[in-house]
Amino acid sequence: MSPAVFARSTWRQVAALLPGRADVAAMRRQPRRDLVAGLTVAVVALPLALGFGVSSGLGAAAGLVTAIVAGTLAALFGGSNLQVSGPTGAMTVVLVPIVGRYGPGGVLTVGVMAGLILLALALLRAGRYVRYVPAPVVEGFTVGIAAVIFLQQVPAALGVPAPDGENVSVVAWRALVEFAGRPHWSALAVALGVAAVMLAGARWRPTVPFSLIMVAVATVVAQLLSLDIARIGVLPATLPSPSLGFLDLTVVPTLLTSALAVAALAALESLLSATVADGMTVNQRHDPDRELFGQGVANLVTPLFGGVPATAAIARTAVNVRSGAQSRLAALTHAITLAVIMLAAAPLVAYIPVAALAGVLLATAVRMVEVGSLAALARATRSDALILALTAVATLALDLVAAVGIGLLVAAALAIRKIAGAARLEEVPLDIADHHLEEAALLREHIVAYRFDGPLFFAAAHRFLLELSEVADVRVIILRMSRVSTIDGSGALVLRDAIERLEHRDITVLVSGVRADQEKILDAVGVLDRLGAAGRVFPGTAEAIDAARAHLRRTGVLAAATPDVVDPAVQP
């Protein structure tokens, strides 16, 4: 391919991922509903953005910047009309260890690298593959994230400095030990009060933004009572100027693994969120590749302003849909509203207690767990329950990407086991009703027909080899292949080995019913060419039986004069 052709092809791929006229037209249809939805989401998103910024280790300002910049870019370039992007709890879980090892500059560098990886995935059309993630993996992943977010808030909720350590369980335990030595009841009361009202209010009035209300109440109470608890601190009133001053090219190779983890998480969470949004509507469908492109642009640019890596947020997207959003204008309104708050209310936001944000995130973690879905999956099959539990535990003990990988591997292994168990190699009776009774008895004595049912692939092939190798002493075996749903290289090789073993015992093997789409792989390993040259491959079982009878005649087992067809009225 010439450079010019390659350039044109690449541009066509990129152009297909860019915003188009349809996006603008959609924003003009019902702008009032989109504006109301965007304002509603902004009210919900403000405390979450501040809280996740603090939890990430880069501060509340970084969380707010991420919600504004990433929220705007993902809304413009993303593949869903309804997605709302920004900092999320799942991403925070991945970022905390990076901050501990490489500092804030490392997190910003990882964000840029993850953005480039997401753009590459979009150009490779990789978005469609997330649909193959099983539901137990997603649910286990969500439960694990909820547990990690909950444990991350323990130090702030107890009013103690976050102890050193990367494992959230260990850090939470150390915080409890420190709190027991020097209790700080004010911070705990604020955190538990905010969380309790949010959880109760969500059941009583789901549409009321109790998170923002309780953060405001906690701030006022803390100021009036002069509570000795940590505050967020001063926030910038405007977005910082874009800069690449954080970039250190010497550490880029060491950050590649972290960037892959961040990119994988951003892709997974964003595409799952888009799927959830589609399910909540009737006429909305997202473009998975364009969604990856939008998240790539957002993560590439946001670190230049000091923001953390972002993903689409399922909770905020759900609020957006329930508030009546119809187009990208709602997500844009959410980001613009947060920018106005940053400009006008930064001095007030500085007084918010850190414990109040911890309470918001504690309640958010609890609400992430859908007890009904978990119970249904746990009751469905033991395999689903095992996958869910392993993914959740791995999320808590290891990291999110490793947890998803473990969940997918276990799910694949169990699925392969089920498929292999469903495959059958069955001895079937010969259809020889038109033969003389004495000849029929001889045919049954010397010919055996086996029918394959299901996939002939690596997980089941060796069991079939053992079964065929144990066949009793017969003269001819007919292998009926018409019901083989699929065959892979391992299955073809095992079939070849089984035929060679049988022929080594002077058993003639005939094959019938091979489908056209399976001939290529059987030819590749030398199964059909040799048998075909010997005239042992047949379109159907009847022709194979006739060939087997002719073979027995040649070898003297059947009398040469035995008629092909006998009148049923004639007795032998």
Side-chain angles (χ1 to χ4, degrees):
M1 182 184 295
S2 68
V5 174
F6 177 77
R8 285 196 297 269
S9 174
T10 303
W11 169 244
R12 282 196 295 268
Q13 285 183 295
V14 173
L17 299 172
L18 295 175
R21 294 179 180 177
D23 301 321
V24 178
M27 288 192 286
R28 291 176 176 174
R29 291 191 190 114
Q30 293 180 301
R32 182 174 299 177
R33 294 186 65 177
D34 287 328
L35 291 172
V36 172
L39 290 170
T40 304
V41 176
V43 169
V44 174
L46 177 60
L48 292 176
L50 297 172
F52 288 134
V54 172
S55 295
S56 70
L58 270 71
L64 194 54
V65 166
T66 304
I68 295 169
V69 178
T72 300
L73 293 173
L76 289 173
F77 294 96
S80 170
N81 288 328
L82 306 175
Q83 289 266 54
V84 179
S85 297
T88 64
M91 188 61 75
T92 300
V93 173
V94 176
L95 298 180
V96 170
I98 301 174
V99 175
R101 293 178 188 173
Y102 304 102
V107 171
L108 302 180
T109 303
V110 164
V112 171
M113 296 169 65
L116 293 172
I117 294 170
L118 288 168
L119 292 176
L121 290 175
L123 293 174
L124 292 172
R125 300 286 192 249
R128 70 196 73 176
Y129 297 111
V130 79
R131 71 187 66 172
Y132 299 115
V133 179
V137 175
V138 176
E139 292 294 338
F141 173 78
T142 304
V143 171
I145 290 173
V148 173
I149 293 173
F150 190 95
L151 292 173
Q152 279 182 338
Q153 307 315 309
V154 170
L158 297 177
V160 300
D164 294 332
E166 292 186 3
N167 187 283
V168 290
S169 301
V170 174
V171 171
W173 173 252
R174 290 174 180 171
L176 284 171
V177 171
E178 186 172 344
F179 177 81
R182 291 184 301 169
H184 200 291
W185 299 109
S186 299
L188 182 60
V190 169
L192 293 181
V194 170
V197 173
M198 280 185 61
L199 293 173
R203 291 178 173 273
W204 177 53
R205 289 285 190 274
T207 58
V208 177
F210 283 100
S211 58
L212 186 63
I213 292 172
M214 287 309 299
V215 167
V217 169
T219 303
V220 171
V221 170
Q223 285 299 111
L224 292 177
L225 299 181
S226 299
L227 297 180
D228 182 22
I229 53 179
R231 306 296 209 275
I232 288 179
V234 179
L235 295 182
T238 59
L239 290 175
S241 300
S243 170
L244 278 172
F246 60 84
L247 189 60
D248 182 0
L249 296 179
T250 60
V251 299
V252 166
T254 61
L255 291 171
L256 181 58
T257 303
S258 299
L260 289 171
V262 169
L265 178 59
L268 180 65
E269 189 171 13
S270 297
L271 292 174
L272 290 177
S273 175
T275 302
V276 170
D278 289 348
M280 296 175 67
T281 61
V282 176
N283 58 351
Q284 296 281 355
R285 289 295 177 268
H286 74 283
D287 181 336
D289 298 317
R290 189 174 166 192
E291 181 59 29
L292 290 180
F293 184 81
Q295 294 299 328
V297 172
N299 281 284
L300 183 64
V301 176
T302 300
L304 306 184
F305 294 88
V308 298
T311 74
I314 295 177
R316 278 161 271 179
T317 298
V319 172
N320 195 39
V321 175
R322 294 193 187 105
S323 300
Q326 298 294 310
S327 74
R328 301 163 190 270
L329 181 59
L332 285 171
T333 303
H334 139 270
I336 293 170
T337 303
L338 291 178
V340 172
I341 292 173
M342 181 181 230
L343 177 65
L348 297 177
V349 172
Y351 294 103
I352 295 176
V354 174
L357 297 180
V360 171
L361 298 186
L362 289 174
T364 301
V366 172
R367 292 176 61 185
M368 285 176 66
V369 180
E370 295 286 347
V371 178
S373 298
L374 294 179
L377 283 173
R379 289 193 302 266
T381 64
R382 285 183 295 179
S383 297
D384 288 338
L386 175 63
I387 295 167
L388 192 155
L390 279 177
T391 306
V393 171
T395 302
L396 189 59
L398 302 173
D399 61 67
L400 301 187
V401 177
V404 172
I406 290 171
L408 288 175
L409 287 174
V410 174
L414 293 174
I416 290 170
R417 181 184 176 189
K418 287 182 181 179
I419 295 171
R424 294 284 184 273
L425 175 66
E426 181 181 5
E427 183 179 347
V428 293
L430 295 173
D431 183 12
I432 50 177
D434 59 345
H435 293 276
H436 188 280
L437 293 181
E438 291 181 0
E439 183 184 85
L442 285 171
L443 290 174
R444 292 190 182 96
E445 181 180 348
H446 295 291
I447 303 174
V448 175
Y450 281 93
R451 182 178 64 206
F452 290 99
D453 283 315
L456 182 57
F457 71 133
F458 69 94
H462 291 284
R463 175 164 55 86
F464 294 155
L465 172 62
L466 292 175
E467 291 182 30
L468 285 173
S469 299
E470 295 172 359
V471 172
D473 186 18
V474 296
R475 299 295 182 91
V476 181
I477 286 181
I478 299 173
L479 299 179
R480 299 174 58 179
M481 305 286 290
S482 59
R483 295 193 183 182
V484 175
S485 58
T486 185
I487 185 169
D488 68 356
S490 297
L493 287 171
V494 167
L495 182 63
R496 185 193 66 186
D497 292 344
I499 292 172
E500 290 176 352
R501 292 189 186 190
L502 291 169
E503 290 178 337
H504 187 70
R505 293 165 52 193
D506 295 325
I507 298 174
T508 300
V509 179
L510 309 180
V511 177
S512 70
V514 178
R515 287 169 24 192
D517 60 327
Q518 297 167 3
E519 289 180 354
K520 181 178 179 181
I521 191 168
L522 292 175
D523 273 334
V525 299
V527 173
L528 291 186
D529 54 356
R530 187 167 55 84
L531 292 179
R536 298 180 186 177
V537 180
F538 304 93
T541 306
E543 296 91 332
I545 293 174
D546 290 340
R549 182 179 59 185
H551 173 75
L552 294 179
R553 282 176 177 167
R554 286 195 300 271
T555 57
V557 176
L558 295 181
T562 303
D564 285 352
V565 179
V566 179
D567 188 332
V570 179
Q571 297 298 321

